Amino acid sequence: MVHVWGRKQIVRRGLSTGLALLLTAALAACGNGSGSGSTDKEAGGTAEGKSTEAQAGSSAKPVELLNVSYDPTRELYENYNKAFAAYWEKEKGQQVTIKQSHGGSGAQSRSVIDGLEADVVTLALGYDIDAIQKKGLINEGWESKFEHNSTPYSSTIVFLVKKGNPKNIKDWGDLIKGDVEVITPNPKTSGGARWNYLAAWGYALKQNNNDEAKAQEFVKELFKHVPVLDTGARGATTTFVERGIGDVLLAWENEAMLSVKELGPDKFDIVYPSVSILAEPPVAVVDKVVDKRGTREVAEAYLKYLYSEEGQTIAAENFYRPTLESVKEKYKDKFQDISLFTLQDVFGTWDETQQKHFSDGGIFDQIYTPGS
Amino acid sequence: MAGTVPMTSVQTSAQASPATTEAAWVKWLLIAAAGLALLWLIVLPLLIVITEALKKGWDVYVAALADPDALSALKLTLIVALVTVPLNTVFGIAAAWAITKFKFRGKGALITLIDLPFAVSPVIGGLIFVLVFGANGWFGPWLSDHDIKIIYAVPGIILATLFVTFPFVARELIPLMEDQGTQEEEAAVTLGARGWHVFTRVTLPNIKWGLLYGMILCNARAMGEFGAVSVVSGHIRGQTNTLPLHVEILYNEYQFSASFAVASLLLLLALVTLLIKSWLSWKNAH
């Protein structure tokens, strides 16, 4: 009996010591959790500060930027961030670290509005930046702060089909033939999907001498061929290339090219339709955040450098269409020359487009009934 | 909940004779059915995670785990678990103690409230914190004036995890402590013991296994939570991504092997948790 009691006591004592230990660990972690960021930064800061002082003789403090972007730009910005950090260090003698955040364009815009402290936003379409501007975080007139409507690179909407194009899909008209299944994400939630929808609409207008009713009929027919609407562009790509659902994926040109590169040219073909939309994913500095954090200069330089020869080359290497003539010339074989119309030409501003097509009760809501 | 079941069943099976009189084939059929279900639902998926992780070789596997973003996600996941498990342990014991050892009005309401995080979708669990602490939320302007970041930073992730893992310890302890009643405590008080003494000498030893089980479940969920954390994370790479979020990101970026490698790391953490539990039970039994 005595023996058993002894052991029980040990277990008991062990348990209470364990609990106490856990609590101390938690408190320590708490302290670390909230404090580690700053201590890391300080420690890194002094070390880096010293090294830059030694190199450039300037005492500029290291700076951190947060770039909140949409889904497919990860590879692009991973490369570009390195290039910009090197350029900035050479130019100003200041270390810059760029953090990235990616997600659906609309969701990312929402996060910035809810307090995600982005110094710059690089989103899929102007409407998502307009939404941030309306909340007062970005000053009016952001479209004209950088060249080409603040769009350093562009893309377009193309078709991705299975190798050999078994359903013989050549143009938009083929998408609504017979039992062809089309994969596109939901225009309500995905930026890329809005470009898909608008590209189809623009084609139908052209085909029918700008007859809106006929365009609507075509797009309605097109969405009858869509078996599943994913919420984002990456989700739709995965549905098509991984799960093998559908005959054709409507996708960003850069997304289609990346799929072919990642998954092998022996599996998929890219089909260029006769006409498509010039998709312009714009960039903007978040004025309220950079003024608060004192990062305006480097944030503006970060976006401006996207237009430089090096920035444009990185964009082209990552399958985005460059806007700088010299780089365009260099990569002209990579990007097929097809007839492209702009949002402005056919639809007007994003506000008008959003209101007419994608708002609650808008045209998309009228033509799309799930499961029909 | 389940924590008490294995212990009682062990005790009864050790003492009592076979409880059923069914034919042997019934027994084997049931065992086979359970075994098949386990194989399909648990063993095979685990094997797939491991084979997919090692598909492109050991180098890719190690590189995926040594990636700075993966390491930062691991660190964040451990910090979150280290903070939430002890806090919820204390909350859980306090709540169970209050509910089972005292009589007061509104007890039913309190129990329902404790269950709430089980009933509510984790996404809502995340959204409520955005609505409270987000830039446009109740405290948003004040927090931003004082330069305090909660949402899209570590505190928000911890809060969201605290919310979804809150019921585990309390739910484990309440039925156990209810079963035990208050006699032992009353006896201790009669013999002259005071509050803290009663708790550490009488209550805690009685509930330790249920408590441990609750903590382990709480820990598993804290490390694995996806939905609520995803809403408040902001997805900043190398900063606010936890391991489950990192797995999804890698998967969406065509890095399937790397994604499964990180998933296998999560699996390993779960296995370690279970091993600690088994070791403790074994130690207790011997």
Side-chain angles (χ1 to χ4, degrees):
Chain A
M1 262 328 248
V2 176
H3 188 67
V4 171
W5 271 112
R7 191 154 54 206
K8 272 203 170 170
Q9 241 158 3
I10 290 167
V11 170
R12 193 184 304 153
R13 201 166 294 161
L15 240 140
S16 47
T17 348
L19 253 178
L21 268 177
L22 262 175
L23 268 178
T24 356
L27 286 176
C30 247
N32 272 338
S34 48
S36 73
S38 58
T39 37
D40 279 359
K41 247 180 256 162
E42 275 158 31
T46 37
E48 281 158 10
K50 267 179 204 155
S51 68
T52 35
E53 261 174 65
Q55 277 167 19
S58 104
S59 57
K61 268 199 205 140
V63 63
E64 202 177 278
L65 287 184
L66 175 59
N67 175 5
V68 170
S69 193
Y70 61 113
D71 256 337
T73 55
R74 183 208 183 216
E75 293 80 8
L76 164 66
Y77 280 109
E78 206 153 79
N79 293 324
Y80 174 72
N81 289 346
K82 279 183 212 140
F84 176 74
Y87 158 80
W88 191 249
E89 168 120 51
K90 213 173 106 201
E91 204 71 0
K92 300 275 172 180
Q94 186 183 32
Q95 293 241 348
V96 53
T97 326
I98 299 121
K99 296 272 181 196
Q100 288 171 255
S101 166
H102 298 267
S105 187
Q108 292 291 78
S109 158
R110 184 76 236 170
S111 294
V112 172
I113 290 170
D114 277 333
L116 182 58
E117 287 201 332
D119 299 275
V120 298
V121 286
T122 52
L123 296 176
L125 39 81
Y127 184 77
D128 291 329
I129 298 186
D130 279 340
I132 304 173
Q133 181 243 305
K134 279 188 192 133
K135 292 283 175 184
L137 296 176
I138 294 174
N139 296 340
E140 269 180 56
W142 61 266
E143 304 94 331
S144 49
K145 278 198 82 173
F146 299 96
E147 282 171 73
H148 308 292
N149 297 322
S150 291
T151 310
Y153 42 78
S154 68
S155 190
T156 184
I157 301 302
V158 299
F159 306 158
L160 191 69
V161 296
K162 284 170 189 141
K163 189 77 201 172
N165 198 357
K167 294 262 165 132
N168 199 23
I169 292 157
K170 295 269 165 59
D171 203 357
W172 293 97
D174 300 324
L175 298 180
I176 58 167
K177 280 184 186 157
D179 61 346
V180 172
E181 283 192 329
V182 182
I183 302 296
T184 173
N186 188 344
K188 288 270 196 174
T189 53
S190 155
R194 279 179 226 179
W195 290 114
N196 292 349
Y197 171 104
L198 296 172
W201 189 281
Y203 158 85
L205 275 184
K206 236 177 195 178
Q207 211 63 8
N208 297 297
N209 294 318
N210 289 326
D211 185 336
E212 287 259 331
K214 283 195 175 149
Q216 184 165 334
E217 200 46 49
F218 175 79
V219 176
K220 183 176 183 176
E221 194 57 36
L222 174 64
F223 274 92
K224 278 191 185 155
H225 287 256
V226 180
V228 47
L229 282 181
D230 281 288
T231 52
R234 255 314 143 85
T237 310
T238 318
T239 297
F240 182 71
V241 301
E242 282 292 307
R243 292 166 61 198
I245 294 175
D247 301 301
V248 51
L249 172 76
L250 306 187
W252 294 95
E253 181 184 43
N254 55 280
E255 186 77 354
M257 285 177 160
L258 183 69
S259 311
V260 170
K261 181 189 149 201
E262 292 287 338
L263 302 156
D266 53 326
K267 287 191 186 136
F268 299 100
D269 282 331
I270 293 174
V271 173
Y272 283 88
S274 64
V275 57
S276 192
I277 195 163
L278 178 73
E280 297 175 303
V283 299
V285 166
V286 184
D287 296 285
K288 221 171 176 179
V289 174
V290 294
D291 286 343
K292 182 178 154 195
R293 298 189 60 227
T295 48
R296 178 174 287 281
E297 192 196 359
V298 55
E300 279 174 355
Y302 177 74
L303 293 184
K304 200 148 190 245
Y305 195 64
L306 279 168
Y307 292 89
S308 70
E309 177 112 28
E310 188 180 17
Q312 291 284 298
T313 306
I314 292 171
E317 283 294 327
N318 286 284
F319 315 116
Y320 290 84
R321 291 184 173 226
T323 48
L324 189 72
E325 283 308 324
S326 62
V327 181
K328 243 187 199 172
E329 187 57 32
K330 214 168 113 195
Y331 285 91
K332 67 170 192 275
D333 295 339
K334 193 163 174 176
F335 300 104
Q336 200 165 319
D337 206 10
I338 61 170
S339 159
L340 298 175
F341 57 86
T342 66
L343 182 83
Q344 198 67 39
D345 293 345
V346 180
F347 301 94
T349 68
W350 264 116
D351 253 343
E352 293 160 11
T353 313
Q354 179 77 18
Q355 197 57 37
K356 182 172 168 189
H357 292 272
F358 307 119
S359 63
D360 281 332
I363 292 179
F364 178 73
D365 275 348
Q366 294 164 33
I367 62 172
Y368 183 73
T369 30
S372 66
Chain B
M1 291 173 296
T4 55
V5 178
M7 289 187 300
T8 42
S9 67
V10 167
Q11 276 158 14
T12 44
S13 66
Q15 292 155 6
S17 53
T20 55
T21 49
E22 262 75 7
W25 66 269
V26 175
K27 185 174 95 184
W28 288 113
L29 192 74
L30 289 174
I31 291 176
L36 263 178
L38 273 179
L39 186 74
W40 273 105
L41 295 174
I42 297 176
V43 179
L44 270 180
L46 290 186
L47 282 179
I48 286 171
V49 168
I50 292 163
T51 48
E52 285 286 328
L54 293 170
K55 210 172 176 182
K56 286 196 180 158
W58 196 245
D59 293 347
V60 175
Y61 184 84
V62 173
L65 297 187
D67 180 75
D69 285 355
L71 288 178
S72 124
L74 172 66
K75 190 177 151 204
L76 181 59
T77 299
L78 291 177
I79 287 175
V80 168
L82 269 175
V83 176
T84 51
V85 173
L87 282 179
N88 271 340
T89 304
V90 173
F91 295 155
I93 294 175
W97 169 270
I99 284 169
T100 56
K101 310 280 170 179
F102 299 92
K103 290 199 177 94
F104 57 93
R105 283 174 66 176
K107 200 188 254 194
L110 184 63
I111 296 177
T112 313
L113 218 57
I114 289 173
D115 276 344
L116 191 73
F118 272 159
V120 166
S121 157
V123 176
I124 312 240
L127 272 179
I128 52 173
F129 290 110
V130 173
L131 292 178
V132 173
F133 298 114
N136 301 302
W138 294 349
F139 302 114
W142 186 87
L143 289 170
S144 132
D145 287 347
H146 292 76
D147 209 21
I148 301 169
K149 274 198 243 173
I150 293 191
I151 298 301
Y152 309 122
V154 178
I157 296 173
I158 289 176
L159 275 177
T161 313
L162 270 178
F163 178 85
V164 291
T165 58
F166 185 78
F168 283 98
V169 172
R171 264 287 131 202
E172 203 64 46
L173 291 183
I174 290 171
L176 182 65
M177 288 166 86
E178 232 156 30
D179 257 11
Q180 287 168 350
T182 54
Q183 284 133 333
E184 288 190 35
E185 275 88 353
E186 278 161 11
V189 172
T190 326
L191 293 173
R194 290 272 157 256
W196 181 248
H197 218 63
V198 176
F199 177 71
T200 51
R201 291 293 173 107
V202 180
T203 312
L204 201 57
N206 276 335
I207 61 168
K208 60 176 180 271
W209 294 110
L211 178 65
L212 208 62
Y213 200 78
M215 284 169 73
I216 280 160
L217 286 180
C218 179
N219 180 59
R221 181 67 186 270
M223 293 198 292
E225 176 56 25
F226 180 86
V229 169
S230 176
V231 176
V232 297
S233 142
H235 305 276
I236 306 170
R237 279 149 212 265
Q239 203 165 311
T240 62
N241 272 335
T242 58
L243 277 182
L245 300 186
H246 193 60
V247 171
E248 194 220 13
I249 284 173
L250 290 174
Y251 187 80
N252 274 343
E253 280 164 3
Y254 304 111
Q255 304 187 46
F256 303 117
S257 290
S259 137
F260 282 107
V262 177
S264 75
L265 184 66
L266 260 179
L267 197 69
L268 195 75
L269 286 178
L271 281 180
V272 168
T273 318
L274 287 178
L275 278 180
I276 293 175
K277 181 190 165 264
S278 313
W279 179 73
L280 282 169
S281 325
W282 176 84
K283 223 186 146 198
N284 184 49
H286 284 73

